């Protein structure tokens, strides 16, 4: 069945994953339509609703803080709450009970129109208050896990430090085994799981929560492929002190997940928009997540395609991690155009380790690269791709894999209009590239020098050595090995 189970951690991650699930839902085809190119069983699970009807819902576990789910309820039209749910509680107390209810969040006009089956209104940055406001799918009650220890956007006790995430996971796991309660049910109903996909942020406390969660997953499933999308919130109008805190969280997260994940792809909105075709609001999670989803959903499209045109999560990870220690990869995406096979005008989503342009611009050696083309290609281009795919790899040469599908990225009514001159189009052509190369050596050395003094003394040496170890894994073995950046800090 090649199932992939998804883990969503945090608010920005859930915005991104909501776009992801809306996109997956759009691939369904019905009677009279051309058969879908996507194998729906990879990301969707069959079940039975409360009324005995068959259901088909996402294979995912969603975590968010109190107030993060908006109007989304744990039980929905497919899975209603059992009538006797409170019987056990009533038997423990014979006296009168008083019920205190918080004013529920009113569903958005978009959600109300979906429920009523009417034409949905156009979404705007002001009408999207929560990620559930533009969600087009139902979720199983077991998929929704609200953490009441912290409140979303709290100014009194913000969930923003790496240590807070680790402490929260430890306390919850001590009370009840998190994997047994939340994760294992989805694994046990899978026939042949090909891997796990994780959406998380690394620049806040969710980085600590994710690192502990990944450690538990790796202990439980030592041979499974774990693919992590590590996101960063935009730094527009963010004070310097908070930027340093985020940088410290990122360094600690990278150090922790390096040994646990099969592949980690950092995703951050480019600080400068190099292409005029894109216009988005960096202060809107709905806008930012839509762009992150486009590259993440497209890059792993081969893992959900039918037939020989696809590839598994493990195949993709092994193509990038050529020496066993290159767990981090960078993503880039070409924007819509007439020729999506061109490498120029691509947007780089790797923002860590920048030093204001002081990096020496020299040719980078590529270790591994996977490219996914989504859209129409000419007959000449298709034959060229088919001819260049099979050659045997020579030791020391880059490992490259090219995937092609005519399935374009859909532009749904839940997706913001971030592409100029694309309002009337229903889909766009996309080219994504995931790559490991020698530039990571400089990036991680820069990250090490930027964050060493921001981390507490008790962990400073460990994390500094860990980042140096990661940087060393991306060094070009053919070089002399001498580098100015190797000086001790």
């Amino acid at each position: 069945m090649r199932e992939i189970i998804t883990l969503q951690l945090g608010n920005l991650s859930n915005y991104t994953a909501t776009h992801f699930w809306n996109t997956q839902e759009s691939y369904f085809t019905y009677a009279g339509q051309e058969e879908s190119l996507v194998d729906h069983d990879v990301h969707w699970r069959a079940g039975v609703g409360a009324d005995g009807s068959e259901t088909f819902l996402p294979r995912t576990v969603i975590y968010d803080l109190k107030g993060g789910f908006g109007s989304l309820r744990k039980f929905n039209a497919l899975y209603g709450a059992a009538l006797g749910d409170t019987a056990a509680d009533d038997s423990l107390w014979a006296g009168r009970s008083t019920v205190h209810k918080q004013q529920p969040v009113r569903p958005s006009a978009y959600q109300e129109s979906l429920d009523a089956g009417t034409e949905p209104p156009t979404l705007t940055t002001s009408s999207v208050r929560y990620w559930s406001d533009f969600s087009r799918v139902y979720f199983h009650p077991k998929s929704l896990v609200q953490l009441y220890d912290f409140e979303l956007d709290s100014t009194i006790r913000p969930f923003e430090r790496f240590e807070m995430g680790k402490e929260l996971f430890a306390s919850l796991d001590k009370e009840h085994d998190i994997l047994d309660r939340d994760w294992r049910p989805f694994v046990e109903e899978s026939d042949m799981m090909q891997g796990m996909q994780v959406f998380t942020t690394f620049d806040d406390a969710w980085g600590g929560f994710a690192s502990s969660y990944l450690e538990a997953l790796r202990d439980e499933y030592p041979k499974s492929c774990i693919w992590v999308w590590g996101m960063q919130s935009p730094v527009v109008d963010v004070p310097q002190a908070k930027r340093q805190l985020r940088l410290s969280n990122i360094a600690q997260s990278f150090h922790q997940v390096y040994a646990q994940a099969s592949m980690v792809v950092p995703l951050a909105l480019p600080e400068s928009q190099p292409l005029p075709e894109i216009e988005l609001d960096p202060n809107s999670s709905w806008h930012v997540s839509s762009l992150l989803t486009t590259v993440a959903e497209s890059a792993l499209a081969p893992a959900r395609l039918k037939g020989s045109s696809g590839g598994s999560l493990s195949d993709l990870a092994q193509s990038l991690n050529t020496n066993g220690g290159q767990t981090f990869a960078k993503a880039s995406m070409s924007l819509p155009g007439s020729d999506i096979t061109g490498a120029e005008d691509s947007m780089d989503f790797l923002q860590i380790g920048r030093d204001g342009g002081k990096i020496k611009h020299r040719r980078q050696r590529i270790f591994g690269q996977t490219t996914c083309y989504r859209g129409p290609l000419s007959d000449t281009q298709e034959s060229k791709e088919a001819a260049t795919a099979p050659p045997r790899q020579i030791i020391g040469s880059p490992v490259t894999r090219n995937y092609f599908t005519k399935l374009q990225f859909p532009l749904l009514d839940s997706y913001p209009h971030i592409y100029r001159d694309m309002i009337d189009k229903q889909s766009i052509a996309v080219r994504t590239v995931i790559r490991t190369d020698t530039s990571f050596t400089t990036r991680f050395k820069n990250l090490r020098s930027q964050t060493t003094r921001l981390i507490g003394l008790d962990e400073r040496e460990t994390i500094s050595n860990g980042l140096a170890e990661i940087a060393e894994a991306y060094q070009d073995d053919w070089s002399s090995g001498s580098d100015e950046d190797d000086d001790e800090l």
Side-chain angles (χ1 to χ4, degrees), residues 9-22:
L9 303 174
N11 201 249
L12 180 59
S13 303
N14 289 330
Y15 268 93
T16 306
T18 299
H19 283 298
F20 175 84
W21 291 117
N22 289 348

Side-chain angles (χ1 to χ4, degrees), residues 81-93:
L83 297 176
D85 281 349
T86 61
D89 295 335
D90 294 341
S91 65
L92 298 177
W93 174 250

